[in-house]
Amino acid sequence: VTGVQTCALPISIEEMIWKAGFEAGALRTPIFDDAFQQMRSWVGRRVPLYTFSTAPASIQRLALRLSDKGDLTALIAGYFDPATGKKLAPVSYTAIARQVKRAQETIVFFSDAPAELRAARDAGLTTVLVLRPDTKVDARAWDGEVVTKLNGL
């Protein structure tokens, strides 16, 4: 068909579903107590916190605004999503470091996915595997630092 124009929609159907669920109160983001306390501690020490998720930044903000610990968006300095790159590509973490104007080796990346951690480590970031009771990852799949709680880091 000639003359048909397409445009990128500003919000996907998936985003609309997430947004509706959060705004209706059907969804709340569970935040572990130790993670909440540590996030507040880091921000109190002026350590900027960023997220990198497969979810769009708008949904990350919404999820943190409507968490079971209240609105956490003031704790987050920035949000990274698939527009930044793939989580399994080291170049994505290099791009994040460049955008936040920090040397890669000064950034600590926490994840429950060893493949993401390998990509971040390959980009020069410090990496930590976070194992929670429901994490379905064998810690032996990771040869770096492993924690089960975030307090005291």
Side-chain angles (χ1 to χ4, degrees), residues 4 21 25 35 42 58-59 69 81 83 88 99 106 138:
V4 174
W42 282 323
S58 61
I59 298 303
K69 301 288 189 275
D81 63 14
L88 301 182
Q99 287 182 40
T106 67
D138 184 347

Side-chain angles (χ1 to χ4, degrees), residues 105-124:
E105 65 274 6
T106 67
I107 298 173
V108 181
F109 180 67
F110 296 90
S111 177
D112 62 356
E116 293 173 5
L117 292 166
R118 279 190 279 284
R121 183 171 60 191
D122 289 349

Side-chain angles (χ1 to χ4, degrees), residues 122-133:
D122 289 349
L125 278 66
T126 299
T127 52
V128 179
L129 176 66
V130 181
L131 291 179
R132 295 296 186 166

Side-chain angles (χ1 to χ4, degrees), residues 56-79:
S58 61
I59 298 303
Q60 293 176 51
R61 279 190 288 278
L62 185 62
L64 288 171
R65 184 169 55 87
L66 299 172
S67 85
D68 63 355
K69 301 288 189 275
D71 185 349
L72 304 183
T73 56
L75 301 178
I76 305 300
Y79 302 84

Side-chain angles (χ1 to χ4, degrees), residues 86-101:
K86 297 181 186 307
K87 291 181 81 177
L88 301 182
V91 68
S92 301
Y93 299 91
T94 303
I96 289 171
R98 189 172 40 256
Q99 287 182 40
V100 301
K101 297 178 173 61

